Amino acid sequence: MLVGVVTLFEDFPTATIIWTIYSILYQQIENNLIQPQIQRRAVDINAFLVVVSVLFGSALLGVIGALVAVPVAASIQIAVNEYLDYRGIQPRPEPDDDEPSPPPTDAPEPAPA
């Protein structure tokens, strides 16, 4: 904000326009690219779900909805996974970006005893 006021008095039209464009681009990149990745690692949910939950939360409850959207989405994901585990349905595991997947084996699995 202080930079915006300074640009009004220093090099008025050019500096103010450049600062405004820079601020908007920086905010959009941070909100749409960086923040979902940080939230995904913090609560271990998909980045797309983070963006969608924040959009729904902010549309429904405004700023407060956007703040509580990610923990609510993580809670729903945990509840669904626990329910599927209780019912004996195994949710499809998500591939971990850090670990390589093991190579497929052609040998049949042994029958349980």
Side-chain angles (χ1 to χ4, degrees):
M1 177 72 179
L2 182 61
V3 175
V5 173
V6 170
T7 61
L8 291 174
F9 296 109
E10 191 59 34
D11 185 18
F12 171 60
T14 308
T16 307
I17 292 170
I18 291 172
W19 176 78
T20 303
I21 291 171
Y22 170 78
S23 298
I24 291 171
L25 285 175
Y26 177 79
Q27 181 180 15
Q28 292 301 314
I29 289 171
E30 182 178 2
N31 290 346
N32 294 318
L33 296 177
I34 298 170
Q35 188 263 349
Q37 295 299 323
I38 292 171
Q39 289 290 338
R40 180 181 67 94
R41 291 198 176 127
V43 294
D44 197 27
I45 63 174
N46 193 329
F48 176 74
L49 291 178
V50 172
V51 172
V52 170
S53 65
V54 169
L55 288 174
F56 275 115
S58 63
L60 293 175
L61 299 173
V63 175
I64 299 298
L67 290 174
V68 299
V70 175
V72 168
S75 300
I76 291 171
Q77 179 180 345
I78 291 169
V80 167
N81 286 340
E82 289 295 321
Y83 175 74
L84 293 176
D85 188 40
Y86 172 74
R87 298 286 291 168
I89 304 169
Q90 292 295 327
R92 189 171 31 151
E94 295 184 17
D96 193 8
D97 296 339
D98 299 334
E99 298 178 10
S101 60
T105 59
D106 294 334
E109 294 184 19

